[in-house]
Amino acid sequence: MNQQVNNPLHGITLEMIINHLVAYYGWSQLGQLIEIRCFNFEPSVKSSLKFLRKTPWARQKVEELYIETVREIERKSNVHETK
């Protein structure tokens, strides 16, 4: 059995990633952070999924931003808990 313990994306779908990033940043800021057409012109989850599934370099950028965002949220959460 192949364990995915060190994979921060294990069990997370691309749709979940997009929804999380849009909820956190909004389409406008997300389009500034990752300059791809599907985030800047008539953005939708559906069009983003279609583009990202066939564009590995863009998907990698989105996944990297998601991981950074989750870590930042956790860091902020831990700082508030220790105060």
Side-chain angles (χ1 to χ4, degrees), residues 14-70:
L14 186 55
E15 185 172 3
M16 290 166 69
I17 290 171
I18 294 169
N19 285 326
H20 177 87
L21 292 174
V22 170
Y24 191 77
Y25 294 108
W27 286 113
S28 179
Q29 189 176 1
L30 186 56
Q32 291 174 359
L33 293 169
I34 303 174
E35 292 188 29
I36 53 178
R37 187 169 178 80
C38 65
F39 289 168
N40 288 307
F41 299 96
E42 298 182 27
S44 72
V45 173
K46 185 177 179 180
S47 67
S48 298
L49 286 171
K50 185 176 180 181
F51 176 77
L52 294 170
R53 286 183 177 138
K54 63 181 182 179
T55 315
W57 65 265
R59 182 178 181 145
Q60 183 177 355
K61 287 184 175 223
V62 169
E63 290 174 345
E64 289 170 357
L65 178 61
Y66 173 78
I67 292 168
E68 290 173 23
T69 302
V70 169

